[in-house]
Amino acid sequence: MTPAVVLVPGAFTGAWMWADVAAGLRRRGIAASAIDLPSIGPDAGDAGFAADVRAVRRALDRLEPPVLLCGHSYGGGVITESAAGPHPAVRRLVYVNAAVPDIGDSLVSLMTAAVATARRGERPDRGVVLRGDGLAHLDREYARRILFNDCGPDRAEAALARLSPTNPSGSDRPLAHAAWRDLPATYLRGTEDRLVEAIAPAFIARGPELVEFPVGHCPQWSRPELVVDLLADRAWRMTTGPSAAERARTGDPCSPNSSSSIRPSPAPTWTATATSPSRT
C-alpha cells in the first residue's frame, strides 16, 4: 500500500512553494501532489474560501487511502474543513505554521481573538493591502521580513517574485466542521516564525503531536528537506504503524513508533490560548 500526500499552500503562494517537498516525497516512493487554490492568482475573481475547500475535496475524492493531508498557514483552515466527515481517504492531518480553526470559528474571528491575546508574534494582516477589485496583495518588504526571514537573499527573491493576489472572501464564514476532531494531527511549528499562531484552544486541548524545527514561516521553501523528512515519516507510518489492537486502543492510525527518526517536541508548549490565522 503506497501512501499519498496532498499539499495545500497558504494564501498569496501556490503549488510552486511545495515543489521541492513534493519532489523529495516522490523520491521516497510516496505519491505527492500540490494544489493550486482557486482563490489565489490575478484571475481569482469571486473564488474564496469555499471554492478552496471544494478544490481540495475534489482532489481527495480522486485518491484511495491512506492520504496525509498537509496545509500551510491559511491552508490549515482549508484542510480543516475539506477533510471533515472525516473524508474516507484521509488518515492524518499535518499543519505547517498553519491556521487551525474549530467549528464555529471563522478565520476572521480567530484572528480577532488572537490579536487581542497574543503575547508574541506579528499581526498577519499588517502587510495585506486590499485592492479596488476585491483582491488583496502582500507588501513585498513585509513578506521578505516576515515570511522569508530564514532564507538566503536569492531564495527569498525567487519566492517574492512569485507571490500572487488572493481573494479573501469567505474568511468571515464560520466553519461547520473541523476534521481534526476526527483525525490524528501533527502541528509543525517553526521556532523562527515571526507570525502569531492561529490555533483554536480546543485543538490544543486534544493534545496533537507537536514538532518544532528552527525555521521561519515557510519551511517548505527555506528548509524543504526537513519537511520531507517529517511528512515521509508520518506518511509511511500510515502503512506500517502500530497493530490493529494498538490503533483501536489509541484511536490514532499512525501513533508514534520507536523506529521514527523525528520525534515530537519533548515537552510541547503552546504559547497562546487563541492565536491569529495567517492568510499567507
Side-chain angles (χ1 to χ4, degrees):
M1 179 167 34
T2 300
V5 174
V6 176
L7 304 162
V8 179
F12 306 106
T13 66
W16 56 267
M17 185 170 270
W18 287 108
D20 291 339
V21 170
L25 290 171
R26 291 180 196 121
R27 285 194 293 271
R28 299 194 187 192
I30 296 168
S33 58
I35 295 175
D36 278 312
L37 298 178
S39 72
I40 303 172
D43 301 321
D46 295 330
F49 180 77
D52 293 341
V53 169
R54 289 193 297 270
V56 173
R57 188 87 182 184
R58 285 194 299 269
L60 295 174
D61 289 344
R62 295 192 290 267
L63 298 174
E64 297 293 328
V67 174
L68 184 155
L69 181 60
C70 177
H72 172 241
S73 200
Y74 161 77
V78 177
I79 71 170
T80 295
E81 182 134 294
S82 61
H87 191 283
V90 180
R91 294 293 180 268
R92 176 168 283 270
L93 304 171
V94 176
Y95 293 90
V96 177
N97 288 328
V100 189
D102 195 2
I103 298 167
D105 289 333
S106 70
L107 296 183
V108 170
S109 70
L110 192 59
M111 178 168 63
T112 301
V115 168
T117 60
R119 291 170 291 181
R120 67 174 181 87
E122 177 122 7
R123 289 178 55 138
D125 55 342
R126 282 187 174 155
V128 177
V129 180
L130 242 122
R131 307 188 333 182
D133 61 1
L135 300 185
H137 73 267
L138 201 59
D139 177 79
R140 184 181 179 90
E141 291 310 310
Y142 172 90
R144 185 195 306 277
R145 178 170 58 88
I146 300 300
L147 303 188
F148 306 115
N149 55 297
D150 60 335
C151 294
D154 291 345
R155 187 68 169 168
E157 282 296 326
L160 290 167
R162 300 190 69 172
L163 295 180
S164 296
T166 292
N167 186 339
S169 69
S171 294
D172 58 349
R173 178 177 65 82
L175 269 68
H177 311 281
W180 52 261
R181 288 188 169 274
D182 300 307
L183 293 166
T186 298
Y187 192 94
L188 189 166
R189 170 192 281 161
T191 58
E192 304 304 316
D193 188 0
R194 294 180 174 177
L195 289 171
V196 293
E197 289 181 323
I199 304 169
F203 177 78
I204 298 169
R206 288 179 71 86
E209 179 187 40
L210 172 65
V211 176
E212 293 183 328
F213 288 147
V215 295
H217 190 66
C218 302
Q220 70 273 50
W221 188 255
S222 63
R223 296 292 305 278
E225 72 283 359
L226 293 179
V227 181
V228 170
D229 284 346
L230 175 65
L231 296 182
D233 180 89
R234 299 311 187 261
W236 282 115
R237 282 191 201 183
M238 297 187 305
T239 64
T240 60
S243 66
E246 178 66 9
R247 289 197 298 272
R249 184 180 68 80
T250 63
D252 183 343
C254 30
S255 298
N257 60 48
S258 60
S259 64
S260 172
S261 61
I262 300 173
R263 302 295 182 193
S265 300
T269 56
W270 299 90
T271 58
T273 56
T275 46
S276 169
S278 161
R279 271 291 297 183
T280 57

